[in-house]
Amino acid sequence: MNTHSSPKGLAGLNKPDIVITLMLVAAAIALPFFIDSRYVLGQIVLALFYATIASQWNLLFGFAGVFSLAQMAIFAFGGYATAMICFYFGWNVWAALVPAALGAVAFSLVVGLACLRLTGVYVALLTLAIAQTMYLLIVTDTECFVMVGSTCRQFTGGAVGFARFGDFGTRAAFKAQWLVGNYAIVAVLFAITMAFTYAIVKSPMGLAFRALKDNPGYAVARGVNRFQAQLLVFGISAFFTGLAGGVYAAHFQAIGPGILSMSQLMFIIAITVVGGVGTFWGPLVGTIVLVAADEVMREAGEFRTLGLGIIIAVSIVLMPKGLVGRLGDLMGWLRRRHAAPVRGKLAESPAPAGE
């Protein structure tokens, strides 16, 4: 973006982003004081998880052009790794989060090495196959790995998964208000993820990612190593996705193979598409819209999925750039309309004497 047309504020943020960020921070701090319902606050926590995952899939696909369908597999890897470290080694949840996230990075790099020499739909198919293989390996794990009392436990937890392996300590510290403590943890995770994503997108590294997405031939000709750059964005995205998976497991004190369901993956993709693929605020806006719509249609039974499908289809047809992209187009149109009379007056003003 041209710095003359977009004045920069502190830390390189442009003014609209500063205003939006400050508003979101104020809203996040005030939220627990205005919401008494534990159910509503729990849904907001779940929405923050969705927004975090969607922001990283948006970084991967929207900015770097890597159409991976392994995002929920990486999320599940972080959650399972956190649970297994706590369960088998007796670690505290806080100590397990970063090693689990690094494990998710290692897993993503293996996936990347396997598929990033491919392009387009072939990457999507291979990553989807890897995610489905992971799901099948978990649910078909029936061999006894360790005895817990009189109960035989599988290495991956099998179809049951893991439960009660530890938590953040908020239940002991805040008693009945433990959910507010967990909300604060998840909100901070989301804020850190978005801040780091913004720094990546606005950096020369982010420019290389966008160049590879928009014109890979030209980017490679200008010296951008496609394989290294896309492997790098795969790893960055995986760290925060895996970290979110660990926090998710600790928040619910459980993790199971259901997190790898196709419906979860499609919901994350729908969030990004509705909000705006390749826009910074798109995943957050898409999360707000779809989670709110899903909640409104909760009592609709079988028509709930149909209603969400209609919302997604209408969004794709009428707003191919998503809600944030449409808003950006509207703001650009208003600026041009406002600037047109000014240019007209300048053109009509008489030239200074002597010219």
Side-chain angles (χ1 to χ4, degrees):
M1 185 178 290
N2 191 317
T3 55
H4 294 291
S5 61
S6 180
K8 296 289 180 179
L10 295 174
L13 289 169
N14 57 48
K15 288 183 178 179
D17 286 333
I18 290 176
V19 173
I20 294 171
T21 301
L22 291 177
M23 289 174 61
L24 288 174
V25 170
I29 294 172
L31 206 58
F33 296 99
F34 290 94
I35 295 178
D36 295 328
S37 170
R38 290 168 61 91
Y39 174 78
V40 173
L41 190 58
Q43 290 301 102
I44 291 171
V45 170
L46 185 60
L48 286 172
F49 281 119
Y50 284 136
T52 302
I53 304 167
S55 72
Q56 295 312 289
W57 188 77
N58 187 47
L59 175 64
L60 194 61
F61 175 62
F63 290 104
V66 181
F67 190 30
S68 167
L69 295 178
Q71 203 67 15
M72 291 309 297
I74 295 169
F75 179 79
F77 192 101
Y80 266 94
T82 300
M84 293 170 77
I85 289 172
C86 294
F87 184 81
Y88 289 120
F89 299 102
W91 286 25
N92 181 279
V93 163
W94 289 104
L97 287 176
V98 172
L102 293 175
V105 172
F107 172 67
S108 76
L109 294 181
V110 171
V111 174
L113 289 169
C115 71
L116 286 183
R117 293 194 183 278
L118 305 174
T119 57
V121 68
Y122 299 104
V123 175
L125 290 173
L126 183 55
T127 51
L128 179 61
I130 291 171
Q132 291 303 300
T133 300
M134 180 178 175
Y135 172 79
L136 290 173
L137 287 174
I138 292 172
V139 297
T140 58
D141 182 10
T142 57
E143 185 175 348
C144 184
F145 181 73
V146 65
M147 294 295 296
V148 180
S150 60
T151 305
C152 178
R153 293 302 304 268
Q154 297 81 16
F155 176 69
T156 62
V160 177
F162 290 92
R164 300 192 180 279
F165 46 82
D167 61 17
F168 291 119
T170 51
R171 286 172 170 82
F174 300 111
K175 307 299 181 184
Q177 297 299 316
W178 68 269
L179 187 57
V180 175
N182 279 19
Y183 161 77
I185 292 169
V186 179
V188 168
L189 169 67
F190 175 69
I192 292 172
T193 301
M194 293 296 282
F196 197 88
T197 302
Y198 190 93
I200 292 292
V201 169
K202 297 297 181 180
S203 70
M205 187 191 311
L207 182 63
F209 293 157
R210 291 195 298 275
L212 285 170
K213 177 193 174 186
D214 296 336
N215 195 331
Y218 180 76
V220 171
R222 297 291 293 176
V224 178
N225 187 311
R226 173 183 170 273
F227 183 74
Q228 289 182 0
Q230 292 189 336
L231 199 62
L232 178 62
V233 73
F234 223 100
I236 293 171
S237 172
F239 178 81
F240 289 104
T241 303
L243 187 61
V247 174
Y248 176 93
H251 169 68
F252 288 103
Q253 292 186 298
I255 190 76
I259 199 67
L260 285 160
S261 68
M262 182 62 70
S263 61
Q264 294 279 10
L265 176 62
M266 292 298 104
F267 194 65
I268 294 300
I269 293 175
I271 282 172
T272 311
V273 171
V274 170
V277 175
T279 62
F280 179 71
W281 296 111
L284 179 59
V285 173
T287 298
I288 294 171
V289 171
L290 285 187
V291 170
D294 185 51
E295 190 61 31
V296 168
M297 294 184 292
R298 181 171 293 276
E299 303 300 326
E302 60 185 16
F303 294 103
R304 181 181 178 187
T305 303
L306 177 62
L308 286 174
I310 292 172
I311 292 172
I312 294 166
V314 169
S315 174
I316 293 172
V317 172
L318 299 182
M319 295 178 291
K321 295 181 181 179
L323 289 166
V324 174
R326 174 64 73 179
L327 181 60
D329 290 344
L330 178 61
M331 295 299 292
W333 177 78
L334 290 174
R335 282 195 297 267
R336 290 192 298 272
R337 186 177 180 182
H338 176 73
V342 177
R343 289 196 298 268
K345 289 180 181 180
L346 291 174
E348 292 172 2
S349 61
E355 290 189 3

